[in-house]
């Protein structure tokens, strides 16, 4: 597997609007997209920092993955996403090397990316996402 860069860092927040305000007025970024992903029960906001994005995640359902994360751990870094090519092959490769997968088959993520999560049990506690941009 060849990872080209950090695609994005996912940050769980309680209130998307408040958080957008912080990133815009304090850090000087500008939010270029807000997208709801019903499948993952989140609303996301994106900022570009060089080649890497910041993905803010607000829960739309307390029973969803971000809702549960916020309840357990509070706000903070939720996952890190690496850009790779041929995601299917990459997932198979890491599974062969003993990594527990959350997604054995790529699924659709925000911004039309194909994504697959590795289980934090196998990645020293860091929820890790691999993603592939098939439009490139
Ligand atoms: Zn992500």
């Amino acid at each position: 597997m060849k990872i080209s860069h950090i695609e994005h860092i996912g940050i769980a927040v309680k209130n998307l609007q408040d958080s957008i305000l912080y990133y815009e007025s304090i850090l000087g970024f500008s939010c270029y997209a807000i997208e709801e992903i019903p499948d993952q029960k989140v609303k996301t906001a994106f900022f570009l920092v060089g080649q890497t994005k910041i993905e803010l995640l607000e829960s739309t359902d307390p029973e969803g993955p971000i809702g549960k994360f916020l309840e357990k751990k509070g706000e903070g870094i939720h996952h890190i996403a690496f850009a790779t090519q041929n995601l299917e092959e990459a997932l198979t490769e890491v599974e062969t090397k003993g990594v527990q997968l959350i997604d054995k088959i790529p699924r659709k993520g925000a911004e039309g990316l194909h994504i697959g999560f590795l289980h934090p049990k196998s990645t020293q506690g860091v929820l890790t996402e691999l993603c592939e941009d098939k439009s490139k």
Side-chain angles (χ1 to χ4, degrees):
M1 169 172 47
K2 204 171 148 252
I3 287 169
S4 55
H5 61 284
I6 295 174
E7 215 285 331
H8 63 269
I9 296 169
I11 299 173
V13 301
K14 282 185 192 154
N15 182 297
L16 203 59
Q17 284 312 321
D18 290 353
S19 302
I20 289 171
L21 199 64
Y22 163 76
Y23 281 89
E24 291 192 331
S25 67
I26 308 293
L27 297 182
F29 301 153
S30 69
C31 175
Y32 70 87
I34 291 178
E35 186 184 347
E36 188 166 343
I37 310 160
D39 189 41
Q40 291 170 47
K41 302 182 167 63
V42 291
K43 203 168 157 190
T44 61
F46 283 94
F47 305 85
L48 199 57
V49 190
Q51 206 181 358
T52 300
K53 296 157 191 164
I54 299 287
E55 175 187 44
L56 301 181
L57 302 149
E58 178 191 72
S59 175
T60 56
D61 179 345
E63 291 305 308
I66 296 301
K68 286 182 181 162
F69 178 89
L70 284 167
E71 198 188 309
K72 243 198 263 173
K73 301 192 172 171
E75 292 183 301
I77 293 180
H78 176 258
H79 66 273
I80 184 161
F82 297 112
T84 186
Q85 285 168 347
N86 203 335
L87 179 57
E88 272 172 54
E89 239 175 62
L91 289 172
T92 307
E93 182 189 323
V94 295
E95 191 178 33
T96 308
K97 290 177 176 171
V99 172
Q100 191 184 332
L101 301 180
I102 292 174
D103 301 301
K104 292 198 181 234
I105 301 163
R107 59 185 160 110
K108 274 261 170 82
E111 301 203 296
L113 293 178
H114 292 250
I115 65 166
F117 280 96
L118 315 186
H119 200 287
K121 270 185 199 159
S122 299
T123 58
Q124 292 80 54
V126 178
L127 178 59
T128 301
E129 176 184 351
L130 299 178
C131 46
E132 179 180 14
D133 185 351
K134 292 213 183 203
S135 72
K136 279 184 187 161

